[in-house]
Amino acid sequence: MGLKVHRRCCALLALLIVALLPQLIKSQSKRLVCGYGSDSAAQDGYPPDYIPLEVCKDVIFKAFWFPKTVGRQMLFNDNDKRAFSNLVSSVRRRSSNARVIASIKGSQIDYSTVASIGSRRRAFVQVVGTLLLELDADGVEINWNYPGGTQEFGGSDFDRISMVLLLQDLRQMVTAASGSIRGRNRELWFRVSIHPNAITDSYNVPEVCELADVVTVDAKEVTGGDSHAPMHSKPIQLPRIPAALGGISLPQTIDNKYDITDSTQLWIDNGCPPKKMLLAIALFGVSYQYSNMYANFFGSSFSNLRSLGTVKKVEPYRKLCESLRQYGWSRRWDPYGLMPYATRIVQSGLEERVSYDDVTSLRYKMDLVQQKRLGGVYLDYVHWDDVYGRCGAQSYPLTSYVASRLQSIPSDIGFAIEWS
């Protein structure tokens, strides 16, 4: 009798698993989030209807400017609202399951002030609610990745506490909005810094990651290195001061742990569940122009040219991949950052260095997503990819590669059913 009961229970369990498996797999699948900047997309002649929803199941609107205070209320910019509504209409018309997230861009002072004052915090939560209930957003992203409490970012040490208060209030609002329409789950997203000092000093990591549904690790750009998004940092090699100039004794190198790999692991070590984390990847290159006298003095291995009076420029990948075909560029590979870069002489006394991602370097970033079992990838911006395939045979080469890698990553769910 006991054996029959056991087999019957196993059969019922198997039927339950089969019934729930599609929902379980869906909930554990890796997410590909495609950033869409309405202003830059409009300049490029790229309307929302062009977004490839077959791979972009989450589209994030970049971005609502921080709402202005009018009396006791806070209001979003009307132009931002119209642009967002156009995006929502396009996505809803073409897909029944793609989701649209509204990102809110604010300065350190904006978020610090709102979070620390109760009346302003309530006004902010109320206006964020309009994005969900009136503009039909599936979620909202709080883009507060420069919190106070560190020497690098400045600001208030109280941000670590007030940030949690703000997220608690937003969590309640998002949960209430989800309950207002049956079967419509709304989400709270949070974009965070990868600076190691910010992770340890500015964020209450366990609280932040418990309150947010999605935590985007903003790894698109790292300050203080040759490559803008290095997988690993290289030791900073310091120049040797000749004895005739004072002969100051300096260490030959200084270790630096500010890179995508170490910072992502630091978020995990401090208590953030990897399945909630997205790795942000830039579909643009970052270039710096500098006087070649610095390169001659410090050597090509010096890792912080950008601090030496340089001029920074951000260029979409689709433009960059074409410009690198022009005469004068020398393409190379950063063995620490695991990224390509290129250099050229701009004019007399000036050099330019640009780092960027291609399919080869994205392989290492996707390996990180798989090895750390992260929740997915966040691309900025989808319309900055090689949309028309002008640099190769395939359109959207970077987006397509990331999508294919995410699909190939095994689900985190595993079942072991023993039939006896």
Side-chain angles (χ1 to χ4, degrees), residues 137-318:
D138 294 294
V140 291
E141 180 191 56
I142 304 303
N143 188 352
W144 189 0
N145 60 352
Y146 293 103
T150 67
Q151 180 180 357
E152 293 80 10
F153 297 158
S156 171
D157 291 338
F158 191 65
D159 283 354
R160 181 182 174 91
I161 299 173
S162 60
M163 179 188 297
V164 172
L165 297 177
L166 177 62
L167 286 175
Q168 287 173 340
D169 291 348
L170 287 168
R171 177 76 271 166
Q172 292 181 0
M173 181 272 295
V174 171
T175 301
S178 297
S180 65
I181 302 178
R182 187 175 180 180
R184 184 76 181 278
N185 181 45
R186 311 298 180 94
E187 292 182 318
L188 176 60
W189 294 37
F190 200 60
R191 179 182 289 265
V192 298
S193 171
I194 66 168
H195 196 289
N197 292 344
I199 298 171
T200 55
D201 298 338
S202 301
Y203 296 105
N204 185 331
V205 174
E207 290 282 355
V208 166
C209 294
E210 180 179 357
L211 292 166
D213 296 298
V214 178
V215 177
T216 300
V217 181
D218 202 359
K220 301 191 307 298
E221 187 171 354
V222 174
T223 56
D226 284 339
S227 295
H228 70 282
M231 288 298 299
H232 304 285
S233 57
K234 71 177 180 180
I236 299 175
Q237 295 189 354
L238 299 176
R240 296 187 180 278
I241 308 299
L245 298 179
I248 302 174
S249 177
L250 294 174
Q252 185 176 357
T253 61
I254 299 177
D255 288 333
N256 175 32
K257 294 294 184 181
Y258 184 16
D259 55 56
I260 293 177
T261 303
D262 289 314
S263 295
T264 300
Q265 185 62 48
L266 189 57
W267 269 98
I268 296 172
D269 291 342
N270 276 268
C272 197
K275 65 181 180 180
K276 282 192 173 186
M277 297 168 59
L278 301 177
L279 182 68
I281 295 176
L283 300 186
F284 54 81
V286 178
S287 69
Y288 289 87
Q289 292 185 13
Y290 51 89
S291 171
N292 57 20
M293 66 173 287
Y294 294 127
N296 293 334
F297 179 70
F298 290 104
S300 60
S301 61
F302 184 68
S303 64
N304 199 8
L305 286 171
R306 66 190 63 188
S307 67
L308 303 175
T310 57
V311 178
K312 174 184 175 182
K313 182 174 66 174
V314 172
E315 188 168 6
Y317 175 77
R318 61 182 180 80

Side-chain angles (χ1 to χ4, degrees), residues 30 366 370 401-411:
K30 305 302 180 185
M366 295 309 300
Q370 181 169 353
Y401 173 75
V402 171
S404 65
R405 278 296 305 270
L406 288 175
Q407 292 175 358
S408 69
I409 296 176
S411 170

Side-chain angles (χ1 to χ4, degrees), residues 47-63:
D49 284 355
Y50 286 9
I51 299 173
L53 298 181
E54 60 273 15
V55 294
C56 298
K57 299 304 181 183
D58 291 279
V59 180
I60 191 156
F61 176 82
K62 302 288 296 290

